[in-house]
Amino acid sequence: ANIQPQDDENVSAFVLEELVSNQVVQARMIGTNEQGVPMIHLYRAVNGQTTMVNRELVDRSCATWLDTTIVKLDDPMDHPSVM
């Protein structure tokens, strides 16, 4: 979510692999875009600190930050199942 790769040679894919390879990462689905594609933020732990992989890609000039329209997920508590 919120990023667009800036290269045609997949450098951003290699940087992404470097950032998450052999690490525990957490993905948080924050909603979907207008076409229904899941939008996620990736997080990883670095030296006891949690960092957002999406932002790291921007900080490394591999992607641009987008303020996109996110369709928020419904809270399951808003739709209790009928028994």
Side-chain angles (χ1 to χ4, degrees), residues 43-76:
Y43 298 90
R44 69 185 186 125
V46 178
N47 300 324
Q49 299 267 343
T50 300
T51 62
M52 179 190 270
V53 174
N54 305 50
R55 177 54 70 185
E56 285 188 68
L57 288 168
V58 172
D59 292 346
R60 292 181 183 217
S61 300
C62 294
T64 53
W65 189 261
L66 302 173
D67 289 321
T68 57
T69 301
I70 303 292
V71 178
K72 294 193 183 220
L73 298 172
D74 287 337
D75 185 340

Side-chain angles (χ1 to χ4, degrees), residues 2 7 9 14 18-19 22 26-28 33 36 40-42 44 48 50 56-58 61-62 64 67 73 76 78:
N2 301 104
D7 61 78
E9 306 204 4
F14 293 117
E18 173 191 320
L19 291 172
N22 297 317
Q26 179 182 16
R28 180 173 179 225
N33 67 11
I40 63 166
H41 286 160
L42 286 178
R44 69 185 186 125
T50 300
E56 285 188 68
L57 288 168
V58 172
S61 300
C62 294
T64 53
D67 289 321
L73 298 172
D78 292 340

